Amino acid sequence: RYLCVMLTFKFDHCLLSLYFLLFCQGWNYQPRGLERHTDSILGWVTLWSLSYYSSPLLLCYLYRKGFICSSKLVPVSQYVGTVLVCLLGVACLRGWGRFRNTDYVQFITILEETKKNHTPANKKKLRCYDFDFSHWPLDFSWTEVSTTECQIKLSKAGVSLLRPEPRLRGAADSVLHSVRTLPCHIISFVIAHTFGRRMLYPGSVGLLQKAMRPMLQQGQAKLIEEFDGQRNKLVACDGNEIDTMFVDRRRDGGQNGQTLVICCEGNAGFYEVGCMNTPLEGKEFPFPQNEANAMDVVIQFAVHKLGFSLSDIVIYAWSIGGFTASWAVMSYPEIQSLVLDASFDDLLPLALKVMPDSWRPLVQHTVRQYMNLNNAAQVLKYQGPVLLIRRTRDEIITTTGPEDIMSNRGNDLLLKLLQFRYPKIMTDEGIRVVRQWLGASSPLEEASVYSGYEVDDDWCVSVLQSYQADRDVSFPWSVGEDMTLEGRRQLALFLARKYMRNFEATHCTPLPAIEFHPPWRL
């Protein structure tokens, strides 16, 4: 059993309401007559997001019909003003209904007392309730850590990220190129800041969160009731509020109880029902910069507030969560180890898969400029143990289809990692045999490839240990430089099997606790 902190993004804004669920006594808050009816009316206001996404089409339609003119806008604005006044009245009536509800008044009393006096006893009472996260009292802020190291890492947008290297051009050529590509830059900006990031992070869409609310409430209740989870609100250096859940098992004793697992969710993932359960049983839509800022404050919280050292932290990520996980180990190389489940090497090939070929230059520029999830480049900066878990029927991170296992971008992540760490082993022949092993369609075929090259595990371990003992150097290693072709093949297959495990499942199947292993150490 491991300790867990769950990193997830919940940029929920205040909706003039505090829906709550009383976990400790196992019942839902029931609004009474006036509050229930006004709630149902205001609930339709959340459908504004549909008009937000369809606003370009709606504006074009209104313009073509001649509605965008002063003579038509004045009466429309009067209607809109009337509706807003009515909604304000409905909100006031709901407030009156809540004021007369003793259960709600008790909740508000506890919330206000916790904000004034943030003691463990008050927080324990408050965590029995689930309500709009924007009202949750602050537990930790990035500003509480003012070390020189943190200040160096901070830039105007937040923590530092890897950036694609600019192409070298002459002064005149550079100006001409900038003018020629200006339309592409403008379109890329619009795509990235509208539907692009919502496609990349659908879990941040309000409608999806609303649809999943009952399931998320059940998941959160389970974490609090069964695992004594502690909800915490963290504020990153960019001001975004991060919702985390911490399960403390240090009191249970045992070796694993002293290890902190920070879990990074994937696409449309939430800690209430996400990958956090694997190690347990065993303000805006974000950009990559916001994700890295959030991960940074989670690590600062774990070290400075929870009292863990970096060497006691394991990073576990699923799917797109591999970006924040790889950023964490790149930025904090003292972290114990990294586990990436169903993750990929680079977002660009996956983005190109779902977009028309004619959009290729535009997609390349948009991804590299605004959504550069370069997991492999970040993992290569890390010297510690790494485990990759590949889903053999993955339908999300394959560039052709789930039946073509060789198009799984997890393969590319493994090859890039091995080529960087063991370049003398991963020559053309080494890459060929690893690809043959990766292309196995079943565990039986995989074992057949491995045994076909007569891999001697004990010999491989002794060779690597001998190299490490004689040099004790960081990666890349030159082991295999003066080795026979047969020896390099054996080492390539041995390392591939140690760095990657297969899981016979699709992309979104929860990883069973029995499949969660610490990475291999020499």
Side-chain angles (χ1 to χ4, degrees):
R1 296 181 299 174
Y2 293 85
L3 305 176
C4 292
V5 168
M6 183 58 216
L7 168 65
T8 187
F9 291 92
K10 286 196 171 181
F11 303 104
D12 296 341
H13 299 285
C14 176
L15 298 176
L16 300 176
S17 63
L18 293 175
Y19 301 101
F20 67 85
L21 176 73
L22 184 58
F23 291 137
C24 297
Q25 298 178 9
W27 59 272
N28 288 336
Y29 167 74
Q30 297 296 334
R32 297 175 183 175
L34 181 61
E35 181 184 353
R36 183 173 63 253
H37 294 309
T38 52
D39 257 345
S40 61
I41 295 174
L42 293 176
W44 287 96
V45 178
T46 58
L47 294 178
W48 71 270
S49 57
L50 288 178
S51 61
Y52 176 85
Y53 296 126
S54 60
S55 57
L57 297 177
L58 182 61
L59 288 174
C60 290
Y61 174 80
L62 293 176
Y63 178 76
R64 295 186 65 178
K65 293 296 183 180
F67 285 100
I68 303 181
C69 60
S70 58
S71 59
K72 298 290 180 66
L73 288 178
V74 171
V76 169
S77 62
Q78 292 175 344
Y79 292 139
V80 172
T82 303
V83 171
L84 292 177
V85 171
C86 292
L87 289 176
L88 180 61
V90 172
C92 293
L93 289 175
R94 183 174 67 175
W96 174 250
R98 288 177 172 177
F99 176 73
R100 299 179 61 187
N101 190 322
T102 55
D103 295 329
Y104 197 88
V105 171
Q106 180 185 12
F107 159 68
I108 289 295
T109 301
I110 295 174
L111 176 60
E112 291 302 317
E113 179 62 27
T114 306
K115 288 183 176 181
K116 295 177 183 177
N117 189 12
H118 199 50
T119 62
N122 285 338
K123 188 176 177 183
K124 187 174 182 179
K125 295 178 184 177
L126 187 63
R127 69 176 181 170
C128 294
Y129 299 92
D130 174 40
F131 54 95
D132 193 310
F133 185 66
S134 62
H135 294 273
W136 189 272
L138 176 64
D139 293 288
F140 182 81
S141 173
W142 191 90
T143 57
E144 296 181 30
V145 182
S146 57
T147 61
T148 304
E149 178 186 357
C150 292
Q151 296 298 329
I152 291 175
K153 291 191 301 180
L154 186 63
S155 63
K156 184 177 180 180
V159 296
S160 59
L161 297 178
L162 289 181
R163 304 292 183 185
E165 296 183 1
R167 296 179 180 178
L168 297 178
R169 301 177 181 272
D173 186 35
S174 178
V175 173
L176 181 61
H177 181 266
S178 299
V179 173
R180 190 167 56 235
T181 59
L182 181 60
C184 180
H185 290 190
I186 296 174
I187 297 174
S188 294
F189 179 86
V190 172
I191 290 175
H193 288 78
T194 53
F195 66 86
R197 54 178 171 173
R198 289 165 176 82
M199 292 176 62
L200 190 60
Y201 302 109
S204 297
V205 177
L207 287 177
L208 179 61
Q209 293 180 7
K210 186 176 179 64
M212 295 183 65
R213 182 180 294 277
M215 183 168 57
L216 298 181
Q217 287 179 333
Q218 292 177 7
Q220 190 175 120
K222 177 182 177 181
L223 291 172
I224 292 175
E225 292 176 345
E226 297 184 18
F227 299 106
D228 194 28
Q230 303 171 26
R231 194 180 191 186
N232 294 285
K233 180 179 183 176
L234 317 181
V235 176
C237 57
D238 55 8
N240 280 320
E241 299 173 346
I242 315 303
D243 188 0
T244 69
M245 184 70 73
F246 173 59
V247 177
D248 194 345
R249 283 179 164 166
R250 285 172 287 193
R251 294 165 294 184
D252 298 344
Q255 182 178 359
N256 287 340
Q258 302 303 315
T259 300
L260 177 71
V261 179
I262 299 180
C263 303
C264 308
E265 277 298 347
N267 231 335
F270 301 86
Y271 71 68
E272 294 90 341
V273 293
C275 66
M276 182 178 186
N277 292 283
T278 295
L280 270 180
E281 296 175 4
K283 312 174 181 180
E284 297 177 9
F285 290 88
F287 276 110
Q289 180 69 63
N290 303 122
E291 290 211 62
N293 294 341
M295 187 60 168
D296 185 63
V297 75
V298 168
I299 294 177
Q300 297 296 334
F301 174 70
V303 172
H304 296 280
K305 202 68 175 275
L306 301 180
F308 290 93
S309 63
L310 290 174
S311 59
D312 290 330
I313 295 178
V314 173
I315 306 293
Y316 167 51
W318 170 68
S319 189
I320 204 172
F323 172 75
T324 47
S326 57
W327 179 89
V329 296
M330 173 188 71
S331 303
Y332 296 91
E334 301 89 352
I335 285 175
Q336 184 185 125
S337 58
L338 171 67
V339 180
L340 296 179
D341 177 16
S343 197
F344 51 88
D345 63 322
D346 189 3
L347 177 65
L348 182 58
L350 300 174
L352 291 172
K353 175 187 74 171
V354 298
M355 302 302 287
D357 290 339
S358 58
W359 288 31
R360 188 181 185 88
L362 180 61
V363 172
Q364 287 177 329
H365 183 270
T366 304
V367 169
R368 289 293 179 238
Q369 189 69 28
Y370 300 105
M371 303 172 182
N372 193 28
L373 305 188
N374 47 354
N375 298 349
Q378 295 184 150
V379 172
L380 298 188
K381 303 288 185 180
Y382 178 57
Q383 293 285 318
V386 177
L387 174 63
L388 309 178
I389 301 175
R390 181 181 65 163
R391 309 297 183 97
T392 57
R393 299 194 301 275
D394 199 310
E395 72 283 14
I396 302 298
I397 64 168
T398 50
T399 53
T400 56
E403 67 283 348
D404 183 11
I405 195 172
M406 285 306 296
S407 69
N408 189 309
R409 296 303 300 188
N411 300 336
D412 300 86
L413 181 55
L414 173 68
L415 289 170
K416 290 177 180 178
L417 180 59
L418 294 181
Q419 285 179 273
F420 173 77
R421 291 192 169 190
Y422 312 99
K424 304 302 181 182
I425 295 174
M426 295 301 294
T427 57
D428 291 344
E429 186 62 20
I431 294 173
R432 186 189 67 79
V433 296
V434 171
R435 285 188 175 277
Q436 184 181 351
W437 177 78
L438 290 170
S441 58
S442 66
L444 184 61
E445 185 179 345
E446 180 185 322
S448 175
V449 172
Y450 197 79
S451 61
Y453 286 96
E454 301 180 349
V455 179
D456 186 341
D457 289 1
D458 294 335
W459 176 81
C460 293
V461 170
S462 65
V463 169
L464 295 172
Q465 286 180 339
S466 176
Y467 179 89
Q468 185 183 50
D470 292 343
R471 296 164 181 81
D472 192 23
V473 295
S474 58
F475 295 113
W477 286 6
S478 60
V479 61
E481 188 172 15
D482 300 322
M483 192 175 292
T484 64
L485 184 61
E486 180 185 357
R488 288 199 295 270
R489 288 173 179 166
Q490 288 193 47
L491 282 172
L493 286 173
F494 172 82
L495 290 168
R497 196 164 74 162
K498 291 299 183 183
Y499 275 84
M500 175 176 279
R501 290 177 179 269
N502 282 329
F503 176 43
E504 303 290 325
T506 57
H507 186 80
C508 296
T509 303
L511 184 72
I514 195 173
E515 296 290 338
F516 184 76
H517 303 282
W520 171 71
R521 289 176 177 272
L522 185 59

